[in-house]
Amino acid sequence: MNVEVIGGRQWRGKFAAALVFEGADSLPGMSRAEAKRFLAVAEEEGFRGQKGKTALLRSNQGRRRLVVAGLGKRAEFEPERVRVAAAGALKQAEALGAVELGLLLPEASGVPGGLPGFAAAAVEGMLLAGYRYTEHRKAKPDESRPPAELKVVAPGKPAPALARAVDEATKLCEAVRYARDLVNEPPSRKAPEMMAELANWLAKPGRVTVEVLRKDDLVREGMNGILRVGAGSHEPPCLVHFRYRPKGAPKKKVVVIGKGITFDSGGLCIKPATGMDTMKCDMAGAAAVFGLFRLLGHLDLAVEVHGLAPLAENMPGGGAQKPGDVIRHYGGKTVEVLNTDAEGRLVLADALAWGSTLKPDLMLDMATLTGACVIALGDEVSGVMGTDQATIDKLVELGRQTGESFWQLPLPDSYRSHLKSKVADIKNTGKPRVAGTIAAGLFLKEFVADKVPWLHLDIAGTAWNDSARDYLPAGGTGVPLRTLFALLRGL
Ligand code: BES
Ligand code: MN
Ligand code: ZN
């Protein structure tokens, strides 16, 4: 979808959408009297602006069509409602075959964030709901298509702040859509070396640099977690290192890490077929890192950002690591591998230890790490753990605004005993069926330098959707890229 902001007088199109609060008595671009007539018609269909409801209105002998979508009660407002309503309106417009859609903004949004915030959320809802993954199939004959053109129609002359907000939302959604594409890509088409190749395309002179550490580099650095997890595959593992430098002197340095298991068969501790069929999504953390750096090629931040994506395919080939093996990770800590399916923490251990040496002001990792997190929090809420309570609080609050939910789990010191090993410093599993998400978090914590504030996001449940919901399609969701960007922006 091509997005453009235009002034009210320039809008002549056939299909428009408007988002309205419950009980509203006006519609954008219309006189009160005209709006009243329209809303009376909508009410006959049962539409009064309720949350989750849409209605279709016709004017000019049916030549012009207006989709109205409800925002619910003004007093209950949250930005997420704008996204959901916009997504509903988009789907209606799609079904009508709209090629060009005008998003009619009200005079004043009457909500926190003002008109720019309102417009940005609406554009997000539409761009994210209009996503399709069609790389490997033909369109079905009856399949609707999102409009090619989205015109954001300002009430008067568009203010620069409005244009800026829409432009930023558009770029953000492009990055999210890219992350979704990567997650949806078949596993054999995104092996670590292919991902590294893609990473190189994200380099932007003067902004984003990309470096890839391959076998020899990983051996030299002692990144044996990445090497051993990748050892059971014909596809060699690697570590992608992105770096963004702001124009001025950076205020802060952040390291962002994403688990990049391009396919998780479980390794020798092989998964049952039913647990394996979605495991191409096991690089969703890395996909968020890729999406972030795609975005940083176009949008400015005041902080220096390093992105690390440890990439490996977890397979049970002849070279595969075996239960009982011991890994010496970057930095020297040793781990007894008792389950080769707990591989994410092994690749992350190297990245966290290595990232710590950059002495960042914040280190954050994102990983489809534990099935236990899906059991605890389901597919709408990600787990968050870490050592920097103020930033965790900020992330949870930002998640409320972005519509990506997070819930904090504790990291009690006493549970570290679950990781005790008889032969190495720690083992890669906790107690069976006991606090699996926390045990994984505590495992990661072992590799974070004491002085580095650190957050861990477990996105096992949220990075992938079995079926579509609101503006999230089935398949890769792009979570948690929007919240990550909001967090970095606020530093
Ligand atoms: N990639 C999986 C976790 C996962 C499960 C992600 C479901 C998305 C959906 C991870 O590598 C894994 O297999 N974890 C094991 C750990 C266990 C062996 C300690 C798990 O959660 O069962
Ligand atoms: Mn696994
Ligand atoms: Zn995994």
Side-chain angles (χ1 to χ4, degrees):
M1 260 183 278
N2 203 9
V3 184
E4 199 188 336
V5 181
I6 62 173
R9 299 236 181 79
Q10 291 161 258
W11 175 248
R12 295 269 175 283
K14 248 170 73 178
F15 296 94
L19 314 181
V20 300
F21 283 105
E22 206 165 317
D25 59 357
S26 65
L27 285 172
M30 281 182 208
S31 71
R32 262 283 133 135
E34 210 181 347
K36 268 210 168 121
R37 257 189 291 123
F38 268 92
L39 288 166
V41 175
E43 195 154 355
E44 280 167 29
E45 292 181 37
F47 178 89
R48 290 185 317 278
Q50 307 97 310
K51 175 179 146 225
K53 279 229 164 196
T54 58
L56 175 63
L57 304 172
R58 296 178 175 80
S59 73
N60 216 344
Q61 283 92 46
R63 279 197 288 277
R64 295 189 80 178
R65 292 165 191 216
L66 176 67
V67 178
V68 284
L71 292 166
K73 295 202 170 64
R74 196 180 278 273
E76 292 167 3
F77 178 79
E78 46 185 13
E80 180 66 355
R81 292 204 172 177
V82 178
R83 289 187 203 96
V84 173
L90 181 91
K91 282 177 203 162
Q92 272 254 19
E94 248 181 44
L96 295 169
V99 176
E100 192 185 46
L101 178 66
L103 169 64
L104 308 183
L105 295 177
E107 288 288 338
S109 67
V111 298
L115 206 52
F118 186 91
V123 167
E124 274 181 31
M126 288 194 170
L127 292 183
L128 296 180
Y131 172 84
R132 298 273 196 297
Y133 183 68
T134 53
E135 200 55 35
H136 305 287
R137 66 176 177 85
K138 288 204 188 77
K140 295 170 196 114
D142 59 342
E143 189 172 332
S144 66
R145 229 184 273 203
E149 298 285 334
L150 176 62
K151 306 285 186 195
V152 180
V153 187
K157 190 169 168 289
L162 174 68
R164 222 178 308 125
V166 168
D167 178 57
E168 204 181 289
T170 306
K171 286 174 174 151
L172 181 58
C173 290
E174 270 163 19
V176 171
R177 292 162 63 104
Y178 175 68
R180 288 178 178 178
D181 278 344
L182 292 177
V183 173
N184 289 332
E185 192 70 16
S188 296
R189 293 178 43 116
K190 60 177 175 192
E193 193 51 47
M194 305 176 202
M195 291 285 288
E197 170 88 36
L198 283 180
N200 280 318
W201 283 99
L202 299 179
K204 271 266 160 76
R207 296 183 69 95
V208 172
T209 61
V210 181
E211 204 189 328
V212 181
L213 283 77
R214 295 194 170 78
K215 173 98 186 273
D216 292 348
D217 310 300
L218 295 173
V219 170
R220 191 190 60 235
E221 295 284 328
M223 300 220 195
N224 296 307
I226 301 172
L227 286 165
R228 292 305 291 149
V229 169
S233 167
H234 291 302
E235 302 285 354
C238 62
L239 174 69
V240 173
H241 176 196
F242 297 98
R243 182 173 182 172
Y244 165 81
R245 252 173 295 202
K247 287 196 195 78
K251 291 194 191 130
K252 282 186 175 155
K253 191 196 286 176
V254 183
V255 173
V256 178
I257 301 171
K259 171 178 172 181
I261 299 300
T262 58
F263 185 71
D264 182 10
S265 71
L268 278 176
C269 304
I270 199 160
K271 287 179 185 292
T274 49
M276 209 192 286
D277 58 2
T278 59
M279 278 304 132
K280 67 176 183 181
C281 84
D282 214 19
M283 40 59 80
V289 172
F290 275 58
L292 174 68
F293 280 86
R294 180 185 165 117
L295 188 58
L296 292 181
H298 304 283
L299 279 185
D300 294 335
L301 280 185
V303 292
E304 176 177 340
V305 190
H306 292 262
L308 299 178
L311 298 161
E313 198 183 56
N314 189 24
M315 296 287 280
Q321 59 175 346
K322 304 153 192 88
D325 272 348
V326 172
I327 297 175
R328 181 175 296 273
H329 284 278
Y330 181 86
K333 200 161 274 185
T334 58
V335 168
E336 183 184 13
V337 178
L338 287 179
N339 191 320
T340 63
D341 197 10
E343 83 299 337
R345 61 197 78 183
L346 300 177
V347 301
L348 290 170
D350 287 339
L352 288 164
W354 195 75
S356 291
T357 66
L358 297 170
K359 297 197 169 62
D361 300 288
L362 174 67
M363 186 154 66
L364 180 149
D365 74 73
M366 306 170 285
T368 45
L369 203 60
T370 63
C373 193
V374 192
I375 292 172
L377 300 176
D379 61 0
E380 295 187 22
V381 184
S382 306
V384 52
M385 288 143 267
T387 57
D388 176 353
Q389 192 57 46
T391 307
I392 291 174
D393 292 343
K394 206 187 288 170
L395 181 98
V396 171
E397 173 50 32
L398 286 170
R400 270 187 208 113
Q401 291 167 29
T402 61
E404 297 176 338
S405 304
F406 298 88
W407 191 258
Q408 184 178 5
L409 297 174
L411 290 176
D413 274 336
S414 50
Y415 285 16
R416 281 176 59 197
S417 61
H418 299 192
L419 301 173
K420 266 194 192 144
S421 161
K422 294 192 185 70
V423 303
D425 293 333
I426 51 173
K427 61 185 171 78
N428 79 331
T429 54
K431 290 187 182 172
R433 303 172 59 80
V434 175
T437 305
I438 292 171
L442 284 168
F443 180 98
L444 298 181
K445 187 171 175 227
E446 292 291 312
F447 297 89
V448 180
D450 287 339
K451 285 205 192 82
V452 174
W454 160 73
L455 261 62
H456 159 55
L457 313 186
D458 195 327
I459 54 170
T462 52
W464 179 267
N465 258 355
D466 287 325
S467 50
R469 156 167 53 87
D470 297 329
Y471 54 84
L472 300 180
T477 60
V479 171
L481 178 51
R482 286 184 302 116
T483 311
L484 172 65
F485 182 68
L487 184 73
L488 295 177
R489 156 68 46 101
L491 288 177

